[in-house]
């Protein structure tokens, strides 16, 4: 139901845009989020967006570098990633929430999300 794409190798300081296409759900009814799982680490929250795109939320280490957005007409959520560094190397997962809005602290927990994409790998190196 969620198909993530756009990952790949990138140099330090570079940019990537991840996409996540949804099907089989009323996309515009749900908040969406991106999580990542770095090697040897647990899955962690990266960013979330409410149903309309009017509210966005970020993990501190990506603020000012990453931007989450959505296009409800295309049933797609995006993650624009700039100024990438090796600590951003991870498998990135999109997830659909259970409500229109994204609430703290629930949005930080993977258990707050109903559907997950398969993950797309981002590798940042010199």
């Amino acid at each position: 139901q969620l198909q993530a794409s756009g990952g790949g190798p990138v140099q330090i300081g570079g940019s990537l845009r991840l996409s996540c296409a949804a099907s089989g759900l009323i996309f515009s009814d749900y908040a969406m989020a991106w999580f990542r799982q770095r090697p040897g680490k647990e899955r962690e929250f990266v960013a979330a967006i409410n149903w309309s795109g009017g509210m966005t939320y970020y993990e501190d280490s990506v603020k000012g570098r990453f931007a989450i957005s959505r296009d409800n007409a295309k049933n797609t959520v995006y993650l624009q990633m700039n100024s990438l560094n090796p600590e951003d190397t991870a498998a990135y997962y999109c997830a659909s929430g259970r409500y229109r809005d994204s609430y703290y602290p629930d949005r930080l927990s993977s258990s707050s999300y109903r559907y997950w994409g398969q993950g797309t790998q981002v590798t940042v190196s010199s």
Side-chain angles (χ1 to χ4, degrees):
Q1 301 216 355
L2 298 178
Q3 183 73 33
S5 62
V10 62
Q11 290 190 327
I12 295 172
S15 299
L16 279 177
R17 188 175 82 153
L18 306 183
S19 299
C20 174
S23 61
L25 73 162
I26 304 175
F27 181 74
S28 59
D29 273 358
Y30 301 103
M32 298 293 294
W34 287 94
F35 280 68
R36 66 185 178 186
Q37 189 162 15
R38 293 183 273 192
K41 304 288 186 179
E42 293 187 354
R43 195 171 296 189
E44 62 181 1
F45 171 81
V46 175
I49 188 167
N50 77 332
W51 67 278
S52 68
M55 298 296 291
T56 57
Y57 311 91
Y58 298 94
E59 190 269 328
D60 285 348
S61 71
V62 308
K63 282 180 182 177
R65 300 188 300 122
F66 290 13
I68 188 171
S69 61
R70 66 190 296 160
D71 185 338
N72 286 345
K74 295 183 178 179
N75 288 355
T76 302
V77 62
Y78 305 97
L79 185 67
Q80 176 67 43
M81 305 187 296
N82 301 322
S83 302
L84 286 161
N85 60 62
E87 290 69 41
D88 296 316
T89 293
Y92 283 75
Y93 298 87
C94 56
S96 65
R98 302 179 187 274
Y99 308 105
R100 284 193 159 197
D101 292 305
S102 178
Y103 301 97
Y104 181 85
D106 292 357
R107 63 174 166 263
L108 304 180
S109 173
S110 58
S111 64
S112 298
Y113 297 86
R114 187 168 60 160
Y115 298 118
W116 290 84
Q118 83 287 7
T120 184
Q121 179 67 36
V122 173
T123 303
V124 185
S125 65
S126 56

